[in-house]
């Protein structure tokens, strides 16, 4: 059942309900896909105000479920065992007991299990309320089955329940999570027209956040302006969401205007208002505006930067070569009690490495460890890359072994850095041995690893070995990219293996790729010296396939 079909039936039902046909609940026939829901009209049960009205066997159950609804069960079997015991109790537990159990499953992210239990409750005609439906609808949305969620909404209407803001907000969030922004907007506007929904700030903020995250910034702004004209005005969180999205899309001037509007309307910004603005101004090297914004934030608004904001500044100054400024920021952080985290120190380490100050970079590593922090893979990758670029493979390998001793599992990036370093030094046999070691450790080489290996083998005149690995790569299910083909074609041309180069070029063109600038230049350079028919055919093939890659 598609969203369009369910939505049209839902809107038709809502219009009929507005006319005042009270019997429409009984007369409407709605099929719930994959969910058997009791067709009898059920009245929502209210939660007792005290434990005096709860049978004794249920009091301990309630206390137990209250705890589990906050933390979740230790394992799924325990939750299912409790559900089975609840079904055997006489009288049956109240609907809110079952709601607490379902909530615990949601905490455990066992969404499909929660829906299955809801189905079981319906088949046994156990009383439920709108909260139960909300939980089930939420689980369907988390399981990317928003079509089932809308079917449940229809069923809730049929049984006489009145959906609340949480119901509709959950459905809107579900549509947005499946990139159905147009449907979400249509559903939202129709609900308002039919007076079914008086959205609160959470509803608006949810839709705006969902639209921003799915790249529909302009639609988010439209909704934001619509909200401004309504009775429900945007708050700080709503403004922050739109400002952050504008910054992420490079619309910093629009974001700054919106931040000014926000303050003019008396809505106070917070640190999360300023952080994305600071980040994008740093990225664009608009230092003068950054200085004014920081002054406004710290001095005028008395808002102290948090670790995230400070780290943005450290990273920006470090990447711009302003190492003294970056170190000064860290000093200010410590003075203010906002202590640097691993991301902050990684940014500083990256700056030292980019300027070849390796002793200072190692000092940062020592500082990290002295503060009882755990270096991560990215920390070591920064150092490994810097030492490999300086051709100091011996130090890089020591760091690599230290990394393993500290319990860190090297990533594909780690292995590619070291493999590239070995190839750069012409240590082809060591590079091959390292390549085999990667596989022995259980790591599956990706296309980037193979490209690095091909480049190293071709550079050392091991073209036949590269061609053999190329076939192995394809057998392992990795699809060659344009760069992969061009690396080996150049290797074949350098080593005068023109037939092999021609075959690969034809295959590459047939796959929709083109010769890059390096391949083109090399081919033309060789043609000025060697008038080989195979090379001429390759050149003609390139011309027929279109422009060379620039």
């Amino acid at each position: 059942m598609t969203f369009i079909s369910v939505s049209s039936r839902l809107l038709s039902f809502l219009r009929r309900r507005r006319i005042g046909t009270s019997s429409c609940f009984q007369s409407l026939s709605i099929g719930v896909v994959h969910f058997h829901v009791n067709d009898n009209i059920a009245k929502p049960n209210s939660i007792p105000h005290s434990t005096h009205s709860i049978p004794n066997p249920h009091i301990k159950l309630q206390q137990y479920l209250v705890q589990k609804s906050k933390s979740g069960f230790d394992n799924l079997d325990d939750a299912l065992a409790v559900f089975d015991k609840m079904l055997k109790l006489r009288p049956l537990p109240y609907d809110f007991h079952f709601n607490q159990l379902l909530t615990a499953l949601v905490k455990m992210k066992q969404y499909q299990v929660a829906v299955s239990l809801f189905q079981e409750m319906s088949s046994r005609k156990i009383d439920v309320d709108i909260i139960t439906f909300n939980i089930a609808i939420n689980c369907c949305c988390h399981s990317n089955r928003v079509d089932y969620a809308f079917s449940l909404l229809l069923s809730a209407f049929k049984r006489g329940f009145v959906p609340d803001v949480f119901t509709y907000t959950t459905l809107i969030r579900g549509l947005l999570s499946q990139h159905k922004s147009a449907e979400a907007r249509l559903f939202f506007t129709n609900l308002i027209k039919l007076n079914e929904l008086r959205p609160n700030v959470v509803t608006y903020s949810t839709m705006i956040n969902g639209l921003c995250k799915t790249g529909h910034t302009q639609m988010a702004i439209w909704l934001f302006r619509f909200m401004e004209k309504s009775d429900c005005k945007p708050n700080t969180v709503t403004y922050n969401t739109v400002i952050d999205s504008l910054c992420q899309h490079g619309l910093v001037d629009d974001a700054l205007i919106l931040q000014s509007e926000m303050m003019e309307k008396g809505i106070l910004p917070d640190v999360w208002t300023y952080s994305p603005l600071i980040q994008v101004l740093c990225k664009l090297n608009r230092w003068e505006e950054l200085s004014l914004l920081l002054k406004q934030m710290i001095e005028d608004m008395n808002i102290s930067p948090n670790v995230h904001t400070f780290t943005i500044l450290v990273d920006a100054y470090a990447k711009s070569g302003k190492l003294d400024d970056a170190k000064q920021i860290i000093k200010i952080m410590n003075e203010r009690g906002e202590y640097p985290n691993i991301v902050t120190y990684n940014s500083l380490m990256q700056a030292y490495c980019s300027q070849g100050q390796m002793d200072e970079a190692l000092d940062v590593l020592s500082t990290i460890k002295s503060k009882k922090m755990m270096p991560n893979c990215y920390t070591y990758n920064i150092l490994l890359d810097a030492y490999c670029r300086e051709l100091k493979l011996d130090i890089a390998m020591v760091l690599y072994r230290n990394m393993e001793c500290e319990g860190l599992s090297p990533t594909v990036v780690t292995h590619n850095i070291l493999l590239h370093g070995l190839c750069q030094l012409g240590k082809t046999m060591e590079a091959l041995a390292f390549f085999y070691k990667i596989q022995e450790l259980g790591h599956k080489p990706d296309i980037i690893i193979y490209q690095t290996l091909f480049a190293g083998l071709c550079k050392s005149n091991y073209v036949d070995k590269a061609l053999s690995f190329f076939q192995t790569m394809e057998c392992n299910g990795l699809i060659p990219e344009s760069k992969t083909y061009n690396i080996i074609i150049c290797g074949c041309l350098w080593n005068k293996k023109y037939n092999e180069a021609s075959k690969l070029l034809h295959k590459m063109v047939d796959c929709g790729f083109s010769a890059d600038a390096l391949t083109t230049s090399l081919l033309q350079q060789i043609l000025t010296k060697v008038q080989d028919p195979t090379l001429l055919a390759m050149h003609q093939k390139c011309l027929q396939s279109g422009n060379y890659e620039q």
Side-chain angles (χ1 to χ4, degrees):
M1 185 181 295
T2 65
F3 164 75
I4 297 298
S5 64
V6 174
S7 181
S8 61
R9 292 166 66 186
L10 173 64
L11 291 173
S12 174
F13 169 66
L14 291 175
R15 291 190 184 97
R16 290 168 60 188
R17 195 178 69 159
R18 284 185 70 199
I19 296 171
T21 53
S22 59
S23 61
C24 68
F25 292 109
Q26 288 83 7
S27 60
L28 184 66
S29 175
I30 302 171
V32 181
V33 182
H34 287 205
F35 293 112
H36 174 74
V37 181
N38 181 15
D39 290 333
N40 296 327
I41 303 300
K43 295 181 180 179
N45 289 320
S46 59
I47 298 177
H49 295 289
S50 71
T51 57
H52 294 299
S53 58
I54 305 177
N56 285 332
H58 296 173
I59 294 176
K60 287 186 178 180
L61 173 66
Q62 180 177 352
Q63 293 171 343
Y64 179 71
L65 289 174
V66 165
Q67 178 202 346
K68 294 302 177 183
S69 65
K70 295 176 181 178
S71 61
F73 289 87
D74 293 333
N75 58 70
L76 182 58
D77 289 338
D78 290 346
L80 296 176
V82 170
F83 181 72
D84 289 338
K85 290 178 181 177
M86 289 171 70
L87 294 179
K88 295 173 183 176
L89 285 175
R90 291 296 178 270
L92 278 172
Y94 290 99
D95 47 18
F96 66 87
H97 289 127
F98 285 101
N99 291 345
Q100 288 168 337
L101 177 65
L102 295 177
T103 301
L105 289 169
V106 172
K107 289 281 184 184
M108 299 166 66
K109 299 185 178 181
Q110 294 287 347
Y111 305 119
Q112 294 182 11
V113 175
V115 172
S116 297
L117 296 193
F118 174 80
Q119 177 186 2
E120 179 73 13
M121 290 165 60
S122 299
S123 66
R124 290 174 177 266
K125 300 184 179 180
I126 295 172
D127 285 343
V128 296
D129 58 11
I130 190 59
I131 296 174
T132 323
F133 270 96
N134 285 348
I135 295 169
I137 287 169
N138 183 41
C139 289
C140 289
C141 291
H142 274 294
S143 301
N144 294 323
R145 295 313 305 258
V146 72
D147 48 346
Y148 290 178
F150 271 91
S151 294
L152 284 176
L153 176 63
L154 289 167
S155 183
F157 273 124
K158 183 181 178 184
R159 297 184 62 181
F161 296 117
V162 179
D164 54 22
V165 170
F166 180 83
T167 317
Y168 291 125
T169 303
T170 302
L171 287 163
I172 291 166
R173 187 187 293 116
L175 288 168
L176 291 170
S177 69
Q178 293 190 31
H179 306 288
K180 298 179 183 292
S181 55
E183 291 91 333
R185 176 177 171 177
L186 176 65
F187 181 57
F188 178 77
T189 52
N190 280 326
L191 286 172
I192 293 176
K193 287 178 184 177
L194 294 169
N195 292 321
E196 284 296 323
L197 176 64
R198 292 183 65 84
N200 58 22
V201 69
V202 176
T203 313
Y204 275 112
S205 296
T206 297
M207 271 208 69
I208 290 169
N209 184 52
L211 289 167
C212 289
K213 284 186 175 178
T214 53
H216 297 89
T217 305
Q218 293 305 316
M219 194 179 294
I221 293 171
W222 168 85
L223 183 59
F224 178 81
R225 297 305 181 190
F226 181 91
M227 181 183 184
E228 286 184 311
K229 296 173 185 177
S230 71
D231 296 333
C232 181
K233 303 301 180 184
N235 62 9
T236 303
V237 174
T238 321
Y239 273 98
N240 289 354
T241 301
V242 180
I243 288 171
D244 181 62
S245 182
L246 289 169
C247 289
Q248 287 188 29
H249 288 83
L251 303 171
V252 61
D253 293 322
D254 292 337
L256 288 168
I257 290 170
L258 190 59
Q259 187 250 355
S260 296
E261 284 182 20
M262 173 186 185
M263 296 178 68
E264 287 170 5
K265 292 179 180 179
I267 300 170
L268 296 177
D270 59 16
V271 68
W272 299 108
T273 313
Y274 285 99
S275 292
L277 291 167
I278 290 169
Q279 187 165 30
V280 73
L281 287 173
C282 289
K283 186 178 180 181
L284 297 172
N285 296 322
R286 290 164 64 166
W287 303 111
E288 190 173 331
E289 289 170 274
L290 172 65
S291 178
L292 292 172
L293 191 70
L294 286 170
K295 180 180 179 298
Q296 181 193 88
M297 174 186 176
I298 298 169
E299 296 181 15
D300 301 342
M301 302 304 300
N302 197 29
I303 297 172
S304 180
N306 58 16
V307 174
H308 175 69
T309 317
F310 276 123
T311 300
I312 290 171
L313 291 169
V314 171
D315 186 62
Y317 286 131
K319 286 179 177 176
S320 300
K322 303 175 184 290
L323 265 172
D324 290 338
D325 290 329
K327 288 188 286 185
Q328 183 64 24
I329 292 292
I330 290 179
K331 181 181 177 182
I332 294 170
M333 287 180 74
N334 286 310
E335 290 172 354
R336 286 175 172 257
E338 294 286 351
Y339 300 111
N341 58 21
I342 189 65
V343 180
T344 319
Y345 283 119
N346 283 349
S347 297
L348 185 62
M349 181 185 288
Q350 180 81 68
Y352 281 126
C353 289
S354 64
Q355 295 192 16
Q357 299 182 33
M358 298 310 300
D359 290 340
E360 288 81 355
L362 287 176
D363 286 342
V364 175
L365 180 64
S366 298
T367 301
I368 292 171
K369 293 180 178 180
S370 69
K371 292 184 178 294
K372 307 301 180 184
M373 292 185 196
M374 185 67 184
N376 55 26
C377 285
Y378 186 67
T379 313
Y380 277 101
N381 288 348
I382 293 169
L383 290 168
L384 292 173
D385 183 59
Y387 278 115
C388 286
R389 279 190 283 106
E390 293 194 359
L391 305 181
K392 295 180 179 178
L393 261 295
D394 51 343
I395 301 176
M397 284 299 179
V398 170
L399 286 169
Y400 175 71
R401 287 190 287 271
N402 289 346
M403 182 180 180
E404 292 181 312
C405 291
E406 290 177 10
L408 288 173
S409 180
T411 64
V412 171
V413 175
T414 313
H415 290 139
N416 192 56
I417 289 170
L418 291 170
L419 188 66
H420 180 72
L422 289 166
C423 291
Q424 283 291 100
L425 284 174
K427 296 186 176 183
T428 311
M429 291 300 103
E430 289 91 332
L432 277 173
F434 187 70
F435 177 78
Y436 291 127
K437 180 185 176 182
I438 293 171
Q439 294 175 315
E440 288 171 5
L441 291 171
H443 297 282
K444 187 177 180 181
D446 64 358
I447 194 72
I448 305 297
I449 291 280
Y450 273 107
Q451 287 172 358
T452 301
L453 182 64
F454 295 154
L457 290 171
C458 291
K459 181 181 177 181
S460 300
N461 299 324
Y462 288 97
V463 181
D464 290 336
K465 196 71 174 174
L467 289 168
S468 175
F469 273 114
F470 182 82
Q471 293 177 344
T472 302
M473 182 191 76
E474 289 186 304
C475 291
N476 289 336
L478 286 175
I479 300 173
E481 300 174 344
S482 175
K483 183 177 179 180
T484 321
Y485 281 110
N486 279 287
I487 288 170
I488 301 188
I489 290 170
C490 282
C492 290
L493 289 173
W494 274 117
N495 288 273
K496 299 181 181 181
K497 292 184 175 292
Y498 302 144
N499 288 332
E500 288 83 352
S502 178
K503 290 176 185 177
L504 282 171
L505 179 68
H506 280 73
K507 186 175 180 179
M508 177 178 73
V509 172
D510 290 344
C511 289
F513 301 124
S514 303
D516 62 17
L518 182 60
T519 305
T520 302
S521 175
L522 181 58
L523 181 58
Q524 291 173 342
Q525 181 183 343
I526 296 173
L527 277 171
T528 60
K529 301 176 182 178
V530 181
Q531 291 296 306
D532 186 280
T534 303
L535 296 176
L536 291 169
M538 285 178 66
H539 186 260
Q540 188 64 28
K541 181 69 175 179
C542 289
L543 293 174
Q544 291 174 353
S545 66
N547 294 330
Y548 294 128
E549 286 186 5
Q550 299 299 316

